[in-house]
Amino acid sequence: MASNEDVLDDEKRPQFGNRYLTDPKNVFEHNAWDNVVWDSSQEEEARKKTQQQLAEALPQETTEMYEAKADHFWDEFYNIHTNRFFKDRHWLFVEFPELDSANDKTAGNREAGDDGKTDDSDIASGVENISLTATGTPVDSDEVETYPGENADFRIFEVGCGVGNTVFPVLQTNNDPKLMVYCCDFSSTAIQIVKDHTDYNPHRCHAFVSDISDTSAVLPMPDNSLDLVIMIFVLSAINPQKMQFVIDRLSRLLKPGGQILFRDYGRYDMAQLRFKKGRCLSENFYVRGDGTRVYFFTQEELRDMFSKSGLVEKQNLIDRRLQVNRGKQLKMYRVWIQCKYQKPASDAGTWQKSTDTAGDKAPQDFSRDTL
């Protein structure tokens, strides 16, 4: 369920480091500028634009149709693009070094002195998630895993994995045979592409079709079993009324000390402001021409939802980027939000927020791979 053409703009752009626009006359000297602060008139103009979009929102029955057929539209997307639309997200290891399970400092449970194993008492409350083993047959032997990845030392779950552009770089970077990467997507087409990949190994990766917002969906792993959950341009594709449920569910899956790694669209991103009449489903929630949907967040909204799930904020940054087309003399304002939220360690005191929690500080600088 990775997003489509708008994510391309985020991942295609190179990072130029801390390139700040100090003189507006120089705006077309480079292709992009970092941490561009909007003035009050620009923000007011954007607010009025979104109010007009909302005034022309689609009728309820149309909104319900897009909700009911969400998986269909993502299947159509991947039937058309297969694995050619995105390139692998190697840049994630700079933004989220936690993805390197070989680094003991990356897992909160290891910081707390845990060996990475899941205590049986921790998972007891979550066993209702489990139905079948990796082979699809009931377990009746102690020598067989009761769920895929039970014997792993480090477990990662990507929600909305698309065709594996995060999953496979993670697997390729981490050679640890005791790593298990779970991944799910709305689209059965996307999951089949993941399973057909030459690097797919069911002993280290478990891909499955699931709508994480479906309250009846059964997941293959128990509560309190995951070290990391990855959500990259995924929560925005879910009905806003279901977002809190999704975060609550994922929070329960985390081990004490585990983290959710998050990146998604920010309020008044160029992609939001360019939507025409007949594309608004509800406030800040839209449908693209291909039927896939997208929401645009504020930092406060995300802070509220993750905090309600009992998670501790480690990072909540807004990334404002000015991209320019020097040939056409066009300016494009992009807004993304990047977060890290951690489940408190059961035997630890009050967790301290990291120094990079608040404000408009940009994420770590690096050169991203093109898509």
Side-chain angles (χ1 to χ4, degrees):
M1 194 171 60
S3 185
N4 53 29
E5 70 273 4
D6 298 323
V7 178
L8 184 64
D9 293 335
D10 179 28
E11 297 184 2
K12 184 177 180 179
R13 63 178 173 84
Q15 286 266 1
F16 296 101
N18 294 324
R19 177 175 289 162
Y20 299 113
L21 180 62
T22 56
D23 185 347
K25 296 178 181 178
N26 300 328
V27 66
F28 293 108
E29 289 188 1
H30 298 285
N31 291 328
W33 301 92
D34 297 319
N35 200 25
V36 176
V37 179
W38 291 21
D39 60 34
S40 57
S41 61
Q42 185 177 6
E43 188 144 351
E44 177 62 18
E45 182 180 349
R47 186 186 67 81
K48 289 180 178 178
K49 173 68 173 177
T50 58
Q51 286 182 332
Q52 181 61 37
Q53 292 169 334
L54 181 60
E56 300 170 340
L58 292 166
Q60 183 64 27
E61 56 268 25
T62 303
T63 300
E64 292 173 356
M65 181 274 291
Y66 283 115
E67 174 72 11
K69 298 179 67 176
D71 57 343
H72 166 77
F73 289 116
W74 282 109
D75 271 334
E76 286 296 305
F77 174 82
Y78 288 112
N79 280 329
I80 293 170
H81 299 288
T82 62
N83 62 352
R84 298 187 300 270
F85 195 83
F86 305 106
K87 289 188 178 178
D88 289 345
R89 294 166 167 165
H90 296 283
W91 57 266
L92 283 173
F93 296 98
V94 178
E95 293 284 6
F96 300 118
E98 295 86 353
L99 291 172
D100 182 5
S101 65
N103 181 354
D104 284 347
K105 295 181 181 179
T106 64
N109 54 11
R110 294 183 184 182
E111 290 175 1
D114 185 37
D115 63 0
K117 296 284 188 179
T118 301
D119 190 285
D120 290 341
S121 62
D122 288 337
I123 70 172
S125 62
V127 295
E128 65 272 11
N129 279 341
I130 306 169
S131 57
L132 300 174
T133 67
T135 59
T137 57
V139 174
D140 56 9
S141 169
D142 291 338
E143 297 180 357
V144 180
E145 290 183 327
T146 58
Y147 65 93
E150 180 184 14
N151 295 326
D153 287 341
F154 200 86
R155 304 183 192 92
I156 299 173
F157 179 27
E158 185 186 13
V159 181
C161 64
V163 295
N165 299 112
T166 296
V167 168
F168 292 113
V170 169
L171 289 170
Q172 292 159 4
T173 299
N174 293 277
N175 296 319
D176 184 357
K178 301 292 282 184
L179 169 71
M180 171 57 75
V181 178
Y182 307 94
C183 56
C184 75
D185 201 275
F186 262 156
S187 169
S188 59
T189 300
I191 292 300
Q192 191 58 52
I193 291 172
V194 170
K195 290 183 174 181
D196 289 342
H197 195 285
T198 54
D199 289 338
Y200 183 77
N201 178 351
H203 297 293
R204 301 184 72 224
C205 183
H206 183 73
F208 59 100
V209 178
S210 182
D211 175 1
I212 197 68
S213 68
D214 182 355
T215 58
S216 65
V218 176
L219 300 178
M221 76 289 287
D223 291 350
N224 300 299
S225 65
L226 299 177
D227 295 277
L228 297 172
V229 172
I230 309 170
M231 302 184 76
I232 307 297
F233 296 100
V234 169
L235 192 63
S236 56
I238 293 172
N239 186 327
Q241 296 179 357
K242 298 181 177 181
M243 289 179 183
Q244 188 65 59
F245 166 79
V246 169
I247 295 175
D248 290 347
R249 174 181 236 179
L250 296 174
S251 298
R252 290 194 302 270
L253 293 173
L254 288 174
K255 295 178 181 178
Q259 294 189 67
I260 293 180
L261 310 179
F262 176 95
R263 186 171 175 88
D264 220 317
Y265 296 104
R267 186 69 47 83
Y268 306 146
D269 178 62
M270 178 192 74
Q272 178 178 16
L273 300 181
R274 72 184 181 186
F275 276 110
K276 305 299 183 182
K277 181 179 179 180
R279 289 296 171 190
C280 184
L281 297 170
S282 61
E283 191 170 11
N284 302 305
F285 192 42
Y286 303 82
V287 61
R288 302 184 182 94
D290 60 7
T292 62
R293 301 170 299 169
V294 59
Y295 185 85
F296 297 85
F297 297 96
T298 66
Q299 289 174 283
E300 292 73 22
E301 286 175 330
L302 293 166
R303 180 173 292 120
D304 181 63
M305 287 190 288
F306 283 111
S307 296
K308 284 181 178 177
S309 291
L311 302 183
V312 176
E313 183 174 300
K314 306 299 288 183
Q315 183 186 75
N316 185 330
L317 308 178
I318 190 163
D319 182 3
R320 297 183 184 272
R321 189 66 49 92
L322 173 58
Q323 297 176 333
V324 300
N325 183 318
R326 288 185 281 180
K328 297 181 179 180
Q329 298 286 287
L330 295 176
K331 293 187 286 185
M332 298 165 284
Y333 291 89
R334 304 312 310 264
V335 184
W336 300 287
I337 299 177
Q338 182 168 303
C339 301
K340 301 177 186 180
Y341 281 86
Q342 186 173 50
K343 189 171 187 174
S346 57
D347 58 347
T350 303
W351 283 86
Q352 298 295 318
K353 295 181 182 179
S354 62
T355 56
D356 60 356
T357 293
D360 293 335
K361 176 184 173 184
Q364 187 175 355
D365 300 320
F366 63 101
S367 296
R368 289 187 176 174
D369 295 332
T370 57
L371 281 178

